[in-house]
Amino acid sequence: MKLLRYGPSGAEEPGLLDADGNIRDLSGTIADIGGSDISPEGLARLAAIDPASLPKVEGNPRLGACVANTGKFICIGLNYADHAAESGMAVPSEPVIFMKATSAIVGPNDDVLIPRGSQKTDWEVELGIIIGKTAKYVTEAEALDYVAGYCVAHDVSERAFQTERQGQWTKGKSCDTFGPTGPWLVTKDEVADPQNLGMWLTVNGETMQNGSTKTMVYGVTHLVSYLSQFMSLHPGDIISTGTPPGVGMGMKPQRWLKPGDVVELGVDGLGSQKQHVRADG
C-alpha cells in the first residue's frame, strides 16, 4: 500500500493511493496515518479494504508529511562511503547518529525556507524508514518486523550552522521546512529489497545526486537493530538513512541553494518530491 496524508497543513486527512493513482479517503476508517494503525495488525486491516469502496478525493490536494505524530526524527550521517569522501571525512566505524527536530517536518512539495543568516543551505536525498511498532533491543534478523514501510526523505542542511558553529550537527539540520517526507508511506511488502533502490536529486533540472541504497555502509536492518540498543523506537518514528554523493558541500566550487531554486528528488518505488526554495522571513 501507499499511504498518505492530504489537505491543509495541520488539518491533513488520511488516505491511500489506489492502483490508478487516485487518492482514496481513509478518514472514515482511521484517524490518521500513525500509531497502532501502522502496526502489522493495523496495516493488515487497511490492506483488507477494497480501495474502490473508499471515497475518491477529487482535485489535486496538498500532500502532508506521510506519517503523523513523529516522536523522533533520527538521521544517520556519512552512511555512504563516497559521500563521506566528498565531505572529507572517514567512513565511521559505527553509525553516526544525530537528531532532526520534528518541527522541521513538512509535506513533500512544500516550500523549503532558507533560514535567516544562512549562506550554505544544501540538499540530501535519503531513504526514510518508518517504524510501525515499538522496538527495543531487537536483532538484525527481526528488525524488519518493526518497520511499517519506507518514504522519500529530504535531509535539508545548513552547512555553516552544522559544521562551522560550536556544538553538534542538530542546529544545521533542524530549521523549519528542513524535513520534507513523503509523498507516501510505502509499506514494506511493496519494497522487495530496500538495499537496491535508485535515488536521485536535481536542482533547476540539473542532476546533482544519482545513487543507490546498495552503497549504504550500514543497511536498514543494521540501523534499526543498532538504534534499538540505545533507545526505544516507536510507531511513527522516522530514520533518515544517509545520502549518496553529489551534495553542494562536496562540489568544487561548492554550490548552495538560493531563493528561486527548484529541487526535485525521488527514490525508486517511493515517489518523488518537488520544492520551491525561498527565503524565510
Side-chain angles (χ1 to χ4, degrees):
M1 290 180 293
K2 294 180 173 68
L3 302 174
L4 54 88
R5 301 170 66 247
Y6 68 94
S9 178
E12 292 91 348
E13 300 283 357
L16 63 78
L17 199 72
D18 69 19
D20 296 320
N22 301 306
I23 297 176
R24 297 285 179 164
D25 179 17
L26 279 172
S27 62
T29 305
I30 58 175
D32 213 335
I33 305 297
S36 61
D37 291 310
I38 60 171
S39 68
E41 299 77 15
L43 292 177
R45 287 191 294 270
L46 292 178
I49 299 171
D50 177 6
S53 70
L54 299 169
K56 187 164 88 169
V57 177
E58 301 296 340
N60 186 29
R62 170 192 173 269
L63 296 180
C66 59
V67 64
N69 302 316
T70 294
K72 293 189 289 296
F73 197 157
I74 308 166
C75 298
I76 309 299
L78 305 174
N79 198 29
Y80 289 71
D82 35 13
H83 171 58
E86 73 172 352
S87 302
M89 300 180 187
V91 174
S93 59
E94 294 186 48
V96 172
I97 301 169
F98 61 92
M99 297 294 214
K100 185 184 283 279
T102 56
S103 55
I105 296 172
V106 290
N109 303 315
D110 289 344
D111 291 347
V112 164
L113 304 179
I114 296 180
R116 291 182 184 178
S118 168
Q119 298 295 323
K120 298 182 178 181
T121 297
D122 204 350
W123 55 83
E124 293 190 13
V125 59
E126 307 203 0
L127 170 69
I129 306 167
I130 299 173
I131 298 298
K133 68 174 183 177
T134 300
K136 185 174 183 179
Y137 301 133
V138 304
T139 66
E140 286 194 46
E142 62 187 353
L144 291 183
D145 295 342
Y146 297 84
V147 172
Y150 306 95
C151 69
V152 181
H154 189 183
D155 179 20
V156 187
S157 309
E158 211 300 335
R159 302 301 189 186
F161 296 177
Q162 176 190 354
T163 64
E164 298 173 20
R165 305 279 292 272
Q166 291 296 313
Q168 299 178 337
W169 289 0
T170 301
K171 63 180 174 288
K173 298 284 191 170
S174 296
C175 304
D176 292 350
T177 75
F178 272 24
T181 61
W184 318 306
L185 185 169
V186 180
T187 52
K188 64 186 175 188
D189 58 292
E190 291 199 9
V191 180
D193 183 1
Q195 301 308 147
N196 190 26
L197 300 175
M199 51 205 309
W200 57 272
L201 181 145
T202 68
V203 178
N204 302 326
E206 180 182 354
T207 297
M208 301 298 182
Q209 295 184 273
N210 185 16
S212 171
T213 58
K214 65 186 177 185
T215 65
M216 286 169 61
V217 178
Y218 300 106
V220 169
T221 57
H222 183 85
L223 292 174
V224 172
S225 173
Y226 181 85
L227 289 168
S228 78
Q229 309 308 310
F230 304 100
M231 65 191 83
S232 294
L233 304 174
H234 296 121
D237 285 353
I238 299 170
I239 304 169
S240 200
T241 58
T243 197
V247 300
M249 178 178 63
M251 294 183 174
K252 295 184 169 74
Q254 293 177 326
R255 292 181 59 174
W256 312 112
L257 293 174
K258 60 187 184 303
D261 285 344
V262 177
V263 183
E264 297 183 73
L265 60 147
V267 177
D268 288 353
L270 305 184
S272 61
Q273 305 181 355
K274 181 177 182 179
Q275 294 121 24
H276 293 264
V277 179
R278 63 183 179 87
D280 189 6

